[in-house]
Amino acid sequence: MFRNQYDSDVTVWSPQGRLHQVDYAVEAMKQGSATVGIRSETHAVIVALKRAQNELCSHQKKIYEIDTHSGVSIAGLLSDGRILARYLQTECSSWRWDYKLPIPIKKLTESMQLKLQANTQYYGRRPFGVGLLVAGYDKDGAHIIQTEPSAEVVSMKASSIGARSQSARTYLERNVDKFENASADELIVHALLALRDTLPAEENLSAQNTSIGIVGKDRPFTILADTQVGLHLDAVATHPRSNAQQGHGQAPAAAPEPMQQ
Amino acid sequence: MSSIGTGYDLAASTFSPDGRIFQIEYAQKAVDNGGTMVALRGKNGVVIAVDKVITSKLYIDDANPRMFNCNDNVGMAIAGVYPDGFALKDYACGEAIKWLKEYREPMSVQKLATSVAEYIHIFTLGISRPFGASAFFSAWDKKKGGRLFLVEPSGLNYEYKAWAVGKHRQAAKAEIEKLKLDQLDVQDLVREAARIIIAIRDENKDKDVQIEMGWVGENTNGKHEVVPDDVLSAAEDWANAKLEEDDMEE
Amino acid sequence: MMHHDELQRTLNPTCTGTSVIAMQYKTGVVVMTDRVVSYGKTARYKNVSRQYKVNDNVLVAFGGDHADFQWLQNVIERQALFWKRFDQEIGPKALHGYLTSLLYARRCKMNPLWNTLIVAGIEEEEKNNKETSTPFIGVITQKGCAYQVKHVATGIGAMLLNQAVEDSWRKKGGDITRAEAEAVLKKALELTIYHDCTADNDFEIGSVDSEDGVNLGKEETIIGDWSIAETNCQYE
């Protein structure tokens, strides 16, 4: 029944010093539709691919507002993600009660890491089967934080998690040097191009299946409306598909002109 | 130590017939597999260095630090599974704050190490799994000089002159034994720690690695700090030159 | 007569400090307190500071009960250590917010802390960018009523000095130098020693500057001009 005798519970170490249940939870995250996050000096953007179970069903909610200075996108078990998003919202609001200020992103993500870690250690719990990308802006600048079910929480220049996210990461790694000084609109285009690379050739991004969240200097966190998403997708459509899925073709060399909101 | 206790190794609450608790040994394995961490106590301070793997070039430059402060004076360095180590760091900081409330003075390194050791020990009793992390605690003051403690997944807590944990600990300890520690000041320790870490790297496997160091001593006025980038890169340059020189002699 | 299930809180502070006067200037804040501890109207202890340095960006000064503040000082110290846990130094805005929550919670429990607090400092909008940093003065009363100001006098100073301080501030168009701000504070202190019997003429001026950080002031003394005193019919 089990792959080995050390994988039935999170509270069991394998002889090699691994936690198999935790590794399996990371696999759950990899099943979820992809999400991409990128930050510049002044902005952080998260984009996500929404799936619909069938034609009669609405699309999943993949991006949540956490506070005016932060939002989160989810890959994996969405109901686990919703719980964590609610947790982050609660942390933000109680910080505002105490200090009358938004919570520093570092503090927010450290609390998150401790919560995730507890679920990899205590008997009777399971790890969260979900990965998050937290986008935030505070006095330390713009942040993209990636979390995993294993409680690995790390601050990134850019990140992608979820199904076929390797293709997105390939795009991000090739273009990582362009992000630091990019404008908000350029960041969105980069993120959408990376996200598009996670799709099979016959599918494409649409205003229905794409979610965009942005936060930055003088810009509270917002989830863009479908019409705005459509405008950004128009800008992306001018770039040829990289066909990263097939392993050939090239990522577009330069970011396009900033577009109107 | 590395044997498998079939059937008797599925919980920390189970002794094997020969009186071992395998779950603790397996947790220790998680530390043994991690990046090498070297801790040195010299004549006027303590330096701790770790070789960190940079998993992705998308990480920010100083992602996942392993050197922390529990309070201004006490440094804590975590080896092994990162989230476990981070949970220990959080506990230690909480204890330091509690101490400040109750005694209105900063908690000492010895008290901190003891308190974290007691916490870790509870997790070896069987309800939860043991921590897959070890922690060094360091401090220096004029009266007592340098102090260095290591707390392990078993809950053991010993004071050391110098020690190493992680992947290449055996090679590191062999190098440490050659040092005349009580003659080295903090600057020397930084250079020697860099030299040891670089010397014991496996050139084929240890790629995309980066050294991180913490120091506390007379030079920092007893405050624990992360060693600044320029000092660190100067030490690495010195270490690389020294290792090259040694190669020539051979 | 108190019933067995009734409870009476402390109704008076014991060892107290009087007014705090603070003012912003172009690149920082100056804060003045005198250095005497009063026991009722007795000048009970001399050479005691009423200013506490939190870190390089924040200074807290207080009026009211010394024992309560000594406890608060420990609270603040722990709060500063708590912020270092996630690699940050607590700023004046956050500390002002936190102490507001604390003092308000205490008064709601009918057990107020007997202090008026001044949180003074430099608030960073962006890390390591002095261009966007701004001076900050926040006041919190014993009842948890909190506000931010460009300049303030607390305690009996609120009745005596606020107008005088405000007038001097306006005369300079609000854009004053550190030396000018200190001169205003000294003039204000002179007024308190004339009118406030628990004010002392030994004082200190602490400062938080965007360049120099926090400086706790040296002990200074002011005598004032008492020639007019002889015209007071109660003077002997």
Side-chain angles (χ1 to χ4, degrees), chain B residues 121-177:
Chain B
H121 171 252
I122 295 168
F123 289 77
T124 68
L125 297 175
I127 297 158
S128 306
R129 66 172 173 80
F131 280 94
S134 284
F136 279 111
F137 291 86
S138 59
W140 179 91
D141 67 41
K142 244 200 169 92
K143 224 158 125 191
K144 290 189 170 157
R147 312 285 314 261
L148 173 66
F149 295 84
L150 174 68
V151 181
E152 297 180 79
S154 57
L156 281 173
N157 168 28
Y158 291 120
E159 185 169 6
Y160 292 84
K161 285 181 176 138
W163 198 242
V165 299
K167 230 185 301 182
H168 306 307
R169 62 194 174 286
Q170 297 302 357
K173 283 179 217 170
E175 288 294 324
I176 290 171
E177 279 169 16

Side-chain angles (χ1 to χ4, degrees), chain C residues 86 90 154 158 174 188:
Chain C
F86 43 93
I90 191 168
T154 72

